């Protein structure tokens, strides 16, 4: 049980201040969107407006929650923050698109879009015929059929991406360290700031929106175990913290809450 010792001497209160370095785990995604070569023709040939129209990279915030505390330190100074980030791995794989001769020989984008769209519809028709058994030469068994369908799906996805574009989601993880005052019954600090364009930023960076950690502690006074031996001396009390609530707040909403009864 955590306790805050308060010694009453006349009208003067003396308290010991301890800070705990806490670690918070943050998960987020780095999202890269790649516009398809034929994006202008997506609605005409595929009937969809859900199309990536620009190449960009942005970030999406995932979970923020406390991790294992690193150490306890006595502190008389204000809190501080530090951070450690996992190395990023960007793997770009060049894939050969399954284009037919007509698409490869197209004189312009409009002709190429028409040819690729026809190829997509032929793939869909072939898949439907296999599933309905309406083909002259069916795959030998279930495993063979699964392989054929998998390859057809792969080809369709690759060709469709030429119209609707490609989205690559890279999961990221970062640890944020911050010192919290154990003696404060109510405490709120900026843990970090988060930017849609830049990801996780320092707590003081104005380019991001603040993500707060808020600690609320509840206590009740009890007589300390050791009392003054002199008669008529003022009794010594200690405040026992019996409950702690941790909230992570982003855009005025709590995205994490944990209640601990001590």
């Amino acid at each position: 049980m955590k306790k805050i010792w308060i010694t009453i001497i006349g009208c003067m209160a003396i308290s010991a201040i301890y800070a705990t370095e806490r670690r918070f785990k943050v998960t987020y995604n780095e999202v890269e969107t790649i516009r398809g070569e034929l994006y202008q023709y997506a609605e005409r040939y595929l009937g969809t407006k859900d199309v990536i129209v620009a190449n960009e990279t942005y970030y999406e915030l995932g979970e923020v929650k406390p991790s294992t505390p690193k150490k306890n330190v006595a502190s008389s100074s204000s809190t501080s923050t530090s951070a450690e980030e996992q190395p990023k791995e960007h793997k770009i794989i060049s894939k050969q698109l399954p284009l037919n001769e007509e698409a490869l020989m197209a004189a312009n984008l409009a002709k190429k879009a028409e040819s690729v769209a026809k190829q997509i519809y032929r793939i869909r028709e072939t898949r439907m015929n296999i599933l309905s058994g309406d083909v002259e030469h069916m795959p030998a068994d279930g495993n063979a059929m699964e392989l054929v369908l998998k390859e057809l799906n792969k080809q369709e996805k690759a060709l469709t991406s030429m119209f609707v574009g490609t989205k690559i989601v890279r999961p990221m993880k970062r640890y944020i360290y911050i010192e919290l005052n154990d003696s404060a019954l109510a405490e709120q600090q900026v843990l970090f700031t988060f930017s849609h364009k830049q990801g996780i930023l320092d707590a003081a960076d104005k380019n991001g929106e603040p993500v707060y950690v808020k600690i609320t502690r509840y206590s009740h006074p009890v007589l300390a175990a050791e009392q003054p031996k002199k008669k008529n001396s003022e009794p010594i009390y200690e405040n026992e913290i019996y409950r702690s609530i941790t909230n992570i707040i982003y855009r005025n909403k709590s995205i994490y809450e944990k209640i601990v009864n001590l």
Side-chain angles (χ1 to χ4, degrees):
M1 180 179 293
K2 292 186 178 180
K3 299 178 181 179
I4 302 174
W5 291 84
I6 301 178
T7 304
I8 308 291
I9 304 176
C11 295
M12 183 182 297
I14 301 175
S15 63
I17 298 176
Y18 292 93
T20 300
E21 187 181 67
R22 297 283 297 277
R23 183 176 72 172
F24 291 81
K25 179 182 177 181
V26 184
T27 61
Y28 61 107
N29 291 328
E30 180 184 73
V31 182
E32 181 182 0
T33 59
I34 304 171
R35 185 179 66 190
E37 177 186 357
L38 307 174
Y39 76 99
Q40 306 102 312
Y41 303 95
E43 185 175 3
R44 181 191 302 180
Y45 290 112
L46 300 185
T48 180
K49 295 182 179 179
D50 186 13
V51 177
I52 294 171
V53 297
N55 298 331
E56 64 173 336
T57 299
Y58 61 89
Y59 298 87
E60 298 173 333
L61 184 62
E63 292 185 335
V64 184
K65 59 184 179 180
S67 186
T68 306
K70 297 292 288 183
K71 60 182 179 180
N72 293 333
V73 294
S75 174
S76 59
S77 61
S78 59
T79 57
S80 61
T81 63
S82 61
E84 176 182 298
E85 186 171 7
Q86 286 191 154
K88 297 180 181 179
E89 289 189 8
H90 290 191
K91 296 182 179 179
I92 301 177
I93 302 174
S94 179
K95 296 182 179 179
Q96 183 67 40
L97 290 172
L99 297 176
N100 58 24
E101 184 178 355
E102 182 182 351
L104 291 171
M105 299 293 290
N108 52 58
L109 277 182
K111 187 65 178 176
K112 186 174 185 178
E114 182 182 0
S115 178
V116 173
K118 288 179 180 179
Q119 193 172 346
I120 291 173
Y121 288 122
R122 282 197 294 269
I123 289 173
R124 293 176 179 177
E125 183 180 3
T126 300
R127 181 174 56 224
M128 182 61 67
N129 290 337
I130 291 175
L131 291 173
S132 62
D134 189 19
V135 291
E136 186 176 348
H137 300 288
M138 283 288 292
D141 52 32
N143 290 333
M145 178 182 289
E146 184 178 351
L147 290 174
V148 171
L149 293 175
K150 184 177 180 180
E151 181 59 28
L152 290 173
N153 292 337
K154 181 180 177 181
Q155 291 182 16
E156 181 186 0
K157 183 178 180 180
L159 294 173
T160 302
S161 70
M162 296 180 68
F163 290 94
V164 301
T166 303
K167 179 187 287 188
I168 302 172
V169 179
R170 302 182 181 96
M172 309 293 289
K173 180 174 65 176
R174 185 167 177 177
Y175 291 99
I176 307 292
Y177 298 86
I178 190 171
E179 285 187 4
L180 296 174
N181 184 359
D182 289 342
S183 63
L185 295 182
E187 181 178 13
Q188 180 170 298
Q189 294 188 46
V190 178
L191 189 57
F192 60 92
T193 60
F194 190 81
S195 167
H196 180 70
K197 293 294 184 182
Q198 298 174 269
I200 294 178
L201 302 173
D202 291 338
D205 198 316
K206 300 300 183 182
N207 291 315
E209 297 179 273
V211 177
Y212 297 95
V213 54
K214 180 180 179 181
I215 309 292
T216 306
R217 302 181 180 94
Y218 297 88
S219 67
H220 50 231
V222 297
L223 284 171
E226 295 185 8
Q227 294 293 323
K229 295 182 180 180
K230 294 182 180 180
K231 292 183 178 180
N232 300 323
S233 296
E234 294 289 337
I236 299 175
Y237 290 88
E238 63 180 12
N239 280 341
E240 290 185 345
I241 297 177
Y242 63 90
R243 177 177 296 171
S244 175
I245 301 177
T246 300
N247 279 281
I248 307 295
I249 301 169
Y250 178 55
R251 292 179 174 175
N252 297 320
K253 293 183 180 180
S254 178
I255 60 174
Y256 172 90
E257 180 179 87
K258 185 175 183 180
I259 302 174
V260 177
N261 294 316
L262 304 172

